[in-house]
Amino acid sequence: MTDQPNTQPLPLAGIRVIDYSHFLAGPHLSRCLAAMGAEVIKVERPKEGDAGRAHPIFVKGQSGYFLQQNMGKQGLCVNLKDPRGLELLQKLVATADVFVENYRPGSLDKLGLGYAELSRINPRLVYCSISAYGHTGPDSPRPGFGLIAEAKSGCMAQLGNPGEAPPLMRMPLGDMYTAMHGVAAVCAALYGRGSTGRGRHIDLALYDCLVSMHDYAVQRYTLSNGTEIPVQTGSVMPDSTIYGAFSAKDGNLVIAAQVDDAWKRLARLIGGEALESDRRFLDPASRNANHRAAEAYVRDWVSAQPSAKACIALLDAAGVPCAPVQSIDEVIADPQVAARNMIIEQDHPILGKVKLANLPFRFSDCDATPKTAAPLLGQHNRPIAEALGYAPADIERMVGDGVLYAEEAVSS
C-alpha cells in the first residue's frame, strides 16, 4: 500500500534553521533544507544584507543570484552590533534546531555567535560551519572561495589542454559540493540528536570536500608510489577510452563508450566488424594504450556525419551512451528538464513571475518544490519578532533605532 502523491509532510517539517551565511555554500545548504520542509530564517546585516545580493544579474535592483539560493526562506535583517539585536538573535537561537554559517573561523566567536556560546543557549543546536580550509590546520585562518579550493585541490590541474592555463569550471563545484555534504551532515546530526538529546558542531571545508571528490587521481598517485600524476588531457580521458567530447559539423557531443559492451557497439557502428575485432581495442587496457588511434576513429566518424543531431541519432540507435553539449537556452527548453520540473516559476513581490532552477529532490509522497521566492531584505522582521514575544511598541522602537531594518519595498 502506498500513500497518494504529495499528501504527506516534507521530511524536515518542524525543523527550524537559522541561516547566518552569505554568497553560496551556506545559502545553498539552507535552501536545500528549506526545500525538504525546514523553516529557514535568513539573518542579514542592515542595508547591504547578504553579499550575494550584490552579485549579478540584476533586474529592478534584485539579484538573480540571491533569488536562486534563498528561495523558500524568511528574511530577518537585524543589527547585531546593537545589544538588542544580539539579544533578539539569541532568543531566536533558543528556538532553533540548526545554525548555518560560512564565515572565517573565529569571526563569529567575537560576535558571541560561535558554537561554544550558542550551544550554551541551546544544547540541542546543530551548528554547521563552512569555510575554505576548516577550523583546524595551518591554513585555517586564510580566506577563500570555491575557486581557491578548486585550484588547491588538484581539480583544476587536470582541466584544459596541455601547456595552457586551466580553464575555470564556470559552475561552483567547491561551494555546491560542500553544501550538499552539509545537508547530509546536518540531517545525520539531527538524527543522532534523537538518541543523545544534544546537538554538535559540524566543521566543513571547501578544500576537504574537493580533495575527497577525487575518484582516481589520489589513488593513482599513492598506489604508483608517486610515479603517476594525472595531467591535462583536453577533451578526452586517455585512461577511459572512449570517454570525451567530439566536434561535429554544427556542434559538439560527448560519447561515453569506455566499457567493453559500449565500445563494441560503437566500434561496430563506426568501423564494422573489422574495428570491433581489432586487437588494439579488445579490452580497456588495450584501448587506453592505443587511445590516440581509437579517438581518431571516433573523431573522423563524427566529423563525417551531417550534424551532431545525426550523430546522436545513430549512437542512440546503437545503444551507445551520448549527449549533445547543450547551451543553457537548450537546457531550459529540454523536454526532460520540463518533465522533471527542474525550472520552476515563482511570484516575486517586485519582479512578478520569475523562473529559476529547481532542486533535484524527489520524494514519493510529498512535493519539495519551493513555494515562496527569496525574501526581500528584512521582509519578515515583524512576524519573527512578534513570535519571539516582542510587543508592538518594542518592535517599533527597534525599527526606529535601526536595530531592525527593511528595504523600502517591504510594507510597513
Side-chain angles (χ1 to χ4, degrees):
M1 181 177 177
T2 58
D3 294 310
Q4 293 298 313
N6 305 334
T7 59
Q8 298 302 307
L10 286 159
L12 294 182
I15 296 296
R16 172 173 279 185
V17 178
I18 298 175
D19 173 12
Y20 191 60
S21 66
H22 59 291
F23 269 127
L24 185 52
H28 187 71
L29 190 169
S30 60
R31 179 200 167 188
C32 292
L33 299 179
M36 293 185 191
E39 176 196 19
V40 177
I41 298 174
K42 183 168 186 65
V43 180
E44 301 180 76
R45 58 185 176 175
K47 304 216 173 155
E48 293 88 0
D50 179 343
R53 289 186 184 271
H55 197 291
I57 181 172
F58 299 108
V59 179
K60 297 181 180 178
Q62 300 295 309
S63 163
Y65 186 93
F66 181 86
L67 294 179
Q68 177 67 29
Q69 301 307 331
N70 293 282
M71 62 179 69
K73 304 177 187 179
Q74 299 176 50
L76 172 66
C77 186
V78 57
N79 180 5
L80 297 177
K81 294 181 180 179
D82 187 297
R84 292 170 293 175
L86 182 59
E87 180 185 48
L88 185 149
L89 184 57
Q90 289 174 338
K91 286 183 177 181
L92 189 59
V93 166
T95 72
D97 299 283
V98 180
F99 187 93
V100 177
E101 62 92 6
N102 62 347
Y103 288 85
R104 206 182 306 185
S107 299
L108 295 194
D109 292 332
K110 300 172 185 176
L111 285 174
L113 297 175
Y115 175 66
E117 179 64 27
L118 296 192
S119 65
R120 279 194 290 270
I121 295 171
N122 181 356
R124 291 175 54 80
L125 187 69
V126 173
Y127 188 111
C128 185
S129 297
I130 297 176
S131 58
Y133 298 104
H135 283 232
T136 58
D139 287 335
S140 177
R142 300 184 65 190
F145 293 90
L147 175 66
I148 308 302
E150 289 158 14
K152 287 265 289 180
S153 67
C155 295
M156 287 184 70
Q158 300 178 72
L159 297 179
N161 296 311
E164 297 179 2
L168 300 185
M169 295 185 192
R170 296 303 301 273
M171 291 184 75
L173 184 65
D175 287 286
M176 302 293 263
Y177 190 58
T178 303
M180 295 314 299
H181 273 301
V183 172
V186 165
C187 289
L190 289 171
Y191 179 80
R193 190 182 69 174
S195 58
T196 66
R198 293 191 60 86
R200 62 188 67 195
H201 185 210
I202 299 165
D203 174 12
L204 284 171
L206 275 65
Y207 189 27
D208 292 351
C209 290
L210 287 183
V211 170
S212 78
M213 196 176 187
H214 284 293
D215 62 333
Y216 85 107
V218 170
Q219 62 266 31
R220 178 173 178 178
Y221 178 78
T222 58
L223 297 179
S224 69
N225 294 317
T227 61
E228 295 190 28
I229 300 177
V231 296
Q232 293 170 300
T233 60
S235 57
V236 294
M237 289 180 62
D239 293 316
S240 295
T241 310
I242 292 289
Y243 194 89
F246 300 88
S247 295
K249 284 184 168 65
D250 61 347
N252 301 308
L253 64 148
V254 295
I255 300 173
Q258 76 280 25
V259 297
D260 285 338
D261 288 348
W263 164 256
K264 289 175 182 177
R265 291 191 290 270
L266 176 62
R268 194 180 312 127
L269 172 66
I270 68 176
E273 186 178 340
L275 185 58
E276 183 183 359
S277 60
D278 192 318
R279 297 187 62 82
R280 294 175 297 170
F281 312 125
L282 287 181
D283 55 56
S286 300
R287 289 194 294 278
N288 290 342
N290 297 282
H291 70 91
R292 287 190 174 86
E295 291 155 8
Y297 277 111
V298 178
R299 276 196 302 271
D300 291 347
W301 178 83
V302 169
S303 63
Q305 305 310 308
S307 65
K309 185 176 181 180
C311 286
I312 289 169
L314 292 170
L315 291 164
D316 280 343
V320 178
C322 63
V325 177
Q326 296 191 139
S327 57
I328 199 65
D329 56 325
E330 293 171 316
V331 172
I332 292 174
D334 191 332
Q336 180 66 22
V337 169
R340 299 288 291 175
N341 196 33
M342 284 305 300
I343 301 297
I344 56 174
E345 187 173 78
Q346 295 181 328
D347 291 312
H348 188 272
I350 293 176
L351 304 181
K353 300 289 186 183
V354 293
K355 290 184 177 181
L356 299 164
N358 200 358
L359 288 166
F361 308 126
R362 299 291 180 272
F363 299 103
S364 62
D365 58 359
C366 55
D367 182 9
T369 303
K371 304 299 188 293
T372 59
L376 300 176
L377 186 59
Q379 182 175 344
H380 302 98
N381 287 347
R382 293 176 187 275
I384 291 171
E386 289 170 358
L388 292 173
Y390 285 89
D394 294 329
I395 296 173
E396 289 304 326
R397 275 193 293 272
M398 287 193 289
V399 170
D401 294 341
V403 179
L404 293 174
Y405 175 85
E407 62 179 289
E408 290 184 7
V410 177
S411 58
S412 59

